[in-house]
Amino acid sequence: KQEVTQIPAALSVPEGENLVLNCSFTDSAIYNLQWFRQDPGKGLTSLLLIQSSQREQTSGRLNASLDKSSGRSTLYIAASQPGDSATYLCAKDNDMRFGAGTRLTVKP
Amino acid sequence: DAGVTQSPTHLIKTRGQQVTLRCSPKSGHDTVSWYQQALGQGPQFIFQYYEEEERQRGNFPDRFSGHQFPNYSSELNVNALLLGDSALYLCASRWQWGGYTFGSGTRLTVV
């Protein structure tokens, strides 16, 4: 059974901290990998897409990396802000299965 | 450019009834996937449609069925509704191997 694990399940940090969210897969076969954020009761907003030929992607304060050999991806958020508070989810697109996500709270 | 559009936004049904949810993909996208998300959990993959055929299916019973139309829009049908089918249903679309774009979802409540 292919599983997606996201660590930590929840994270609470003061504003301004840099933080790292982790995503790992039992099946390391990966094509594209995508990170999303989800606000309560809403749909998913795409943050970063790492295509199969890439190892990382950056957008503003966000950086995502992918290590195919270990089946792991990391989302780095720099200088966190209260508006970053949401649930962060990862999925690899050959099967588009999600983990339970990391619930992030950034305190002012 | 409209993103993924889902309708209706909210729906209340009685146990045993049937429901149809609709999804219009983002312009230029040809692949549509459906997900069920229970409260506090990650989205669970139901199935994916491409060229009007079901290409992949998750671990959902046959009560869950779908369709894709020639204009790439899609429907999700659920028969014999159970209380446990209450969830947020999400539709996502993409073109070939590009990234997925999600709609805002349909909140289904079964009473």
Side-chain angles (χ1 to χ4, degrees):
Chain A
K1 177 182 176 183
Q2 298 178 13
E3 293 188 348
V4 181
T5 303
Q6 290 194 244
I7 296 173
L11 184 61
S12 181
V13 300
E15 182 177 5
E17 275 203 6
N18 302 325
L19 53 99
V20 174
L21 308 181
N22 297 287
C23 176
S24 62
F25 307 92
T26 55
D27 175 3
S28 60
I30 296 172
Y31 298 103
N32 296 346
L33 185 132
Q34 203 164 356
W35 281 91
F36 300 86
R37 71 172 277 169
Q38 186 176 33
D39 295 292
K42 305 294 185 182
L44 278 65
T45 300
S46 178
L47 297 173
L48 291 166
L49 169 68
I50 307 175
Q51 295 188 315
S52 57
S53 59
Q54 299 171 326
R55 297 190 64 178
E56 67 175 321
Q57 276 289 333
T58 298
S59 176
R61 294 182 295 106
L62 306 179
N63 174 274
S65 63
L66 175 61
D67 182 347
K68 289 186 179 181
S69 62
S70 64
R72 296 173 187 266
S73 179
T74 298
L75 178 66
Y76 176 82
I77 302 177
S80 59
Q81 302 172 357
D84 295 331
S85 297
T87 296
Y88 290 80
L89 297 138
C90 64
K92 60 186 179 88
D93 79 358
N94 38 320
D95 54 23
M96 280 305 285
R97 281 166 170 81
F98 286 84
T102 293
R103 189 173 67 255
L104 173 65
T105 303
V106 181
K107 299 178 180 178
Chain B
D1 177 27
V4 177
T5 304
Q6 292 188 242
S7 63
T9 56
H10 296 83
L11 200 53
I12 299 175
K13 288 287 190 177
T14 303
R15 189 171 48 184
Q17 285 188 317
Q18 179 265 344
V19 68
T20 298
L21 309 183
R22 295 177 175 82
C23 173
S24 293
K26 183 176 179 178
S27 178
H29 287 189
D30 58 3
T31 301
V32 173
S33 299
W34 285 92
Y35 292 83
Q36 179 195 67
Q37 187 176 28
L39 204 60
Q41 298 183 18
Q44 299 296 310
F45 175 69
I46 303 175
F47 41 54
Q48 183 181 81
Y49 278 86
Y50 173 71
E51 292 189 341
E52 303 179 50
E53 292 190 357
E54 184 181 290
R55 187 159 68 171
Q56 288 189 66
R57 188 178 182 92
N59 188 26
F60 278 79
D62 292 343
R63 298 187 297 109
F64 289 77
S65 64
H67 189 76
Q68 186 179 34
F69 299 94
N71 66 353
Y72 307 118
S73 67
S74 178
E75 290 182 347
L76 165 65
N77 300 291
V78 187
N79 295 322
L81 284 167
L82 303 174
L83 297 179
D85 295 331
S86 295
L88 179 67
Y89 287 84
L90 295 164
C91 172
S93 71
R94 74 171 185 184
W95 179 75
Q96 295 190 355
W97 292 105
Y100 283 88
T101 299
F102 277 78
S104 298
T106 294
R107 172 70 63 186
L108 173 64
T109 302
V110 182
V111 298

